[in-house]
Amino acid sequence: MSLLEARKIHKSYGNKFMKQHVLEGIDVTIDKGEFVTIMGASGSGKTTLLNVLSSIDRVSHGSIVINGQEITGQKDKQLAEFRKHHLGFIFQEYNLLDTLTVKENILLPLSISKTDRKEAQQKFKVLAEELGIQDVQNKYPNEISGGQKQRTSAARAFIHEPSIIFADEPTGALDSKSASDLLGKLSGLNETREATIAMVTHDPVAASYSSRVIFIRDGQIYTQLHKGGQTREAFLKDIMKTQGVLGGVSYEH
């Protein structure tokens, strides 16, 4: 069942005298419970695509429907309300509030939506255990590691059970061990909670944790890979092979 449907997505910047076309008529469908990665060389439009799909930026033309709601025509206030209930975000730089503890950061979305305190505490307890951060719940962001910060960020994205979670280079600031740990946790939450995740990354290792990879080139979809019944290692080889054909995509192990 489709959770997100984007049709004929165009995005350009500038004016009629000098216009840069970043996305040119992209169609994307993401099913409920799917873990999708968007990849492409620098300047390919992958981050712009994530930004318009997640309502951070607006399309120039096209239609985006999430959970049955058309979001492209919504006013700012409507969009803010929609994000509060339906969208979760994980950013490369964590975006945690330094004056709040780990627990307080994670519970913030539930505080905003005025969720019952007992229900909020129960949701926190379960999620903190799943992400392995219960031992640091009373610490502040400057007292924990990068990996713990990003797992805190992930918990905050999942806590209000959004329709879809958007992750922008979530492992970009992490070492390989912390990155693998985070991706394993995200993959586990995708499976156990049937959480829908759309992630942008330059790293084929990170992409191999997803079930489908969409490759963008020059503002258009170049090709897609489905993991299917493959092992993660076999899927990684396919991803790297496609990157080789695309060219110009750098990655780190």
Side-chain angles (χ1 to χ4, degrees):
M1 181 178 127
S2 296
L3 178 75
L4 182 152
E5 291 188 20
R7 294 287 174 261
K8 302 287 186 288
I9 298 301
H10 290 262
K11 179 64 182 177
S12 57
Y13 297 96
N15 53 43
K16 62 181 180 180
F17 301 108
M18 187 176 289
K19 189 168 285 189
Q20 180 187 7
H21 298 281
V22 183
L23 301 176
E24 304 198 44
I26 285 182
D27 291 342
V28 174
T29 299
I30 298 175
D31 290 339
K32 181 173 172 55
E34 200 175 10
F35 187 170
V36 176
T37 294
I38 302 167
M39 299 189 78
S42 178
S44 63
K46 63 183 184 297
T47 299
T48 300
L49 178 59
L50 188 81
N51 286 345
V52 297
L53 292 180
S54 63
S55 78
I56 289 175
D57 199 357
R58 290 186 181 271
V59 298
S60 300
H61 301 286
S63 165
I64 300 171
V65 176
I66 299 177
N67 206 28
Q69 290 194 49
E70 169 68 63
I71 68 167
T72 44
Q74 290 188 6
K75 304 291 185 184
D76 290 344
K77 191 174 181 180
Q78 286 178 293
L79 269 180
E81 192 67 19
F82 181 81
R83 288 190 202 104
K84 187 166 73 174
H85 296 287
H86 293 283
L87 308 184
F89 297 91
I90 305 173
F91 300 101
Q92 181 175 338
E93 297 301 330
Y94 321 126
N95 284 19
L96 300 176
L97 297 176
D98 293 334
T99 55
L100 299 182
T101 64
V102 164
K103 184 176 183 178
E104 289 167 342
N105 266 285
I106 294 169
L107 287 173
L108 196 56
L110 298 186
S111 301
I112 293 170
S113 63
K114 298 179 181 176
T115 302
D116 176 75
R117 189 173 185 277
K118 187 176 180 181
E119 180 186 347
Q121 294 296 326
Q122 181 58 31
K123 285 186 174 183
F124 168 79
K125 182 182 177 184
V126 172
L127 198 51
E129 287 176 2
E130 285 182 284
L131 284 163
I133 49 177
Q134 64 270 46
D135 293 342
V136 297
Q137 62 179 286
N138 295 318
K139 292 188 176 183
Y140 289 89
N142 65 352
E143 299 175 317
I144 60 178
S145 69
Q148 290 168 329
K149 287 178 185 177
Q150 198 56 299
R151 278 182 276 146
T152 298
S153 179
R156 183 182 57 190
F158 277 92
I159 191 76
H160 62 301
E161 298 174 359
S163 301
I164 185 169
I165 289 165
F166 294 98
D168 186 6
E169 296 280 8
T171 61
L174 304 179
D175 60 66
S176 58
K177 184 181 182 303
S178 297
S180 295
D181 183 45
L182 173 70
L183 290 161
K185 299 290 188 188
L186 289 180
S187 181
L189 289 170
N190 167 248
E191 291 175 13
T192 59
R193 292 176 174 243
E194 295 187 335
T196 308
I197 304 171
M199 175 176 75
V200 158
T201 186
H202 69 281
D203 184 357
V205 175
S208 69
Y209 282 84
S210 62
S211 54
R212 176 163 59 108
V213 180
I214 300 171
F215 290 90
I216 304 293
R217 183 167 77 174
D218 299 330
Q220 297 180 320
I221 291 179
Y222 173 75
T223 191
Q224 301 186 49
L225 294 178
H226 294 263
K227 184 178 181 182
Q230 293 183 95
T231 63
R232 193 172 67 80
E233 291 72 19
F235 193 37
L236 172 60
K237 287 180 181 178
D238 284 349
I239 294 167
M240 293 176 70
K241 192 184 297 181
T242 303
Q243 278 194 321
V245 173
L246 266 173
V249 182
S250 59
Y251 60 87
E252 301 163 4
H253 291 287

